[in-house]
Amino acid sequence: MNNVKPIAIIKTGSTFPQISEHYGDFDAWIHQGLGSTTGVMVIDADRRGRLPDLSALGGVVITGSHAMVTDQAPWMRQLMRWLYTLIHEALQVPVLGLCFGHQLLARTLGGEVADNPMGLEVGTVALRLTAAGRQDALLGAIAKHPWAQVVHRQSVLTPPPGATVLASNGHDACQAFRYGDRVWGVQFHPEFSADVMRAYLQALRGEGLTQQQVDSHLPEVRECDDASAILGRFARLSAVQVA
C-alpha cells in the first residue's frame, strides 16, 4: 500500500487577531490552497520546537509573518540551519517560501534581505514574469493573469547566487525566484483571498497606511485565482509516493 508523505507548513507567525477571528490563520489558508486531499503537518517555528525529520516530508511551505528576517531571532537562525540542510541534503523535497518565507529562503541561500527603499507594498499588484517564470512549473500558473496579493516592508534586494528570478515589478526586482529545480520563493501571498487582502488594508489603517491610502487601494483588490493555483501545483509536485 502506498502513502503520500505530508507537506510541512512551517508557521513563522500569525495574522492580526481581528483577521484570524473571521477568516482563520496563515496555515489554514495555505492548507486550503494545497487541497483537501493533501496531508499536512503544521510546525510552529517560533516556539523552538523540534523540526521534522527530512525523510518524513513530501514538501515544505514556509508561511508569511509579521516578524522581520533582519531581526535574526534565535528561532529564525534555527530554521535557517534546518532549511539549509533540507535544501542541500533532502534533494527530492520541494520547498516554497511565501513573503517572509521567501525572504528567509533568500537569506539562507546567501541573498540580501532588507527594508525596501520604496517602503510598504500592499494590495493587489501586477507582476512581470521573466522568460524563465513563464515556463516555470509553479509561476507559469500566472502567465496569463500576473496579479497577486502583497503586504511587505522588507524585500529580497539581491537574490541568492545561482538563483533564477521568475518575476518582478516596479517595487521589487525579485518578486519570485527559483533555486535549482525544486526550491521557490514568492514575495506575494497566493493563500490570500480578496476578502483577506481587504481586511489587511483595513487593519493597516494608522499602522503604516493613511485612510486616504486605504481608500485608494481597496477598489483595486481583486481575486487572484491564477496566483492561488500555485499552491495546488506545489501540492502535486510534492505528492511523492513511497511504498
Side-chain angles (χ1 to χ4, degrees), residues 7-26:
I7 294 175
I9 299 175
I10 308 298
K11 189 175 180 181
T12 60
S14 291
T15 188
F16 293 109
Q18 66 267 38
I19 295 179
S20 63
E21 180 180 351
H22 292 284
Y23 299 107
D25 208 347
F26 297 139

Side-chain angles (χ1 to χ4, degrees), residues 29-225:
W29 307 335
I30 292 168
H31 191 182
Q32 181 178 6
L34 292 171
S36 58
T37 61
T38 302
V40 304
M41 61 171 73
V42 179
I43 310 296
D44 285 320
D46 61 354
R47 293 185 181 177
R48 304 186 195 182
R50 183 174 181 271
L51 291 162
D53 292 336
L54 305 184
S55 62
L57 303 177
V60 172
V61 179
I62 309 138
T63 74
S65 178
H66 294 177
M68 297 293 173
V69 168
T70 53
D71 291 342
Q72 285 295 283
W75 66 266
M76 296 180 196
R77 294 195 295 271
Q78 179 192 22
L79 179 54
M80 287 171 65
R81 289 191 294 269
W82 182 82
L83 286 169
Y84 187 88
T85 302
L86 170 69
I87 291 166
H88 292 93
E89 293 186 12
L91 299 180
Q92 302 304 313
V93 179
V95 181
L96 173 62
L98 312 179
C99 195
F100 174 92
H102 159 76
Q103 298 165 14
L104 194 76
L105 277 175
R107 182 75 176 260
T108 299
L109 294 167
E112 178 191 4
V113 176
D115 290 351
N116 191 297
M118 297 182 67
L120 177 69
E121 184 183 38
V122 64
T124 305
V125 303
L127 306 176
R128 293 190 298 268
L129 268 66
T130 64
R134 290 190 291 273
Q135 299 299 318
D136 185 71
L138 292 189
L139 268 289
I142 65 172
K144 293 183 179 179
H145 303 99
W147 295 86
Q149 320 290 6
V150 299
V151 53
H152 65 105
R153 288 185 174 86
Q154 296 198 328
S155 296
V156 176
L157 300 185
T158 305
T164 301
V165 174
L166 303 175
S168 65
N169 66 1
H171 191 275
D172 275 86
C174 182
Q175 282 278 359
F177 72 86
R178 186 184 68 242
Y179 184 83
D181 59 2
R182 61 182 181 82
V183 178
W184 291 267
V186 298
Q187 183 61 72
F188 54 91
H189 286 277
E191 77 278 21
F192 276 24
S193 67
D195 283 344
V196 167
M197 190 69 258
R198 293 186 189 100
Y200 256 91
L201 286 166
Q202 299 286 4
L204 289 169
R205 184 194 295 113
E207 299 292 335
L209 293 177
T210 65
Q211 183 62 56
Q212 183 178 7
Q213 288 172 318
V214 172
D215 291 342
S216 68
H217 285 304
L218 279 172
E220 299 171 354
V221 175
R222 67 186 75 178
E223 293 292 354
C224 298
D225 293 334

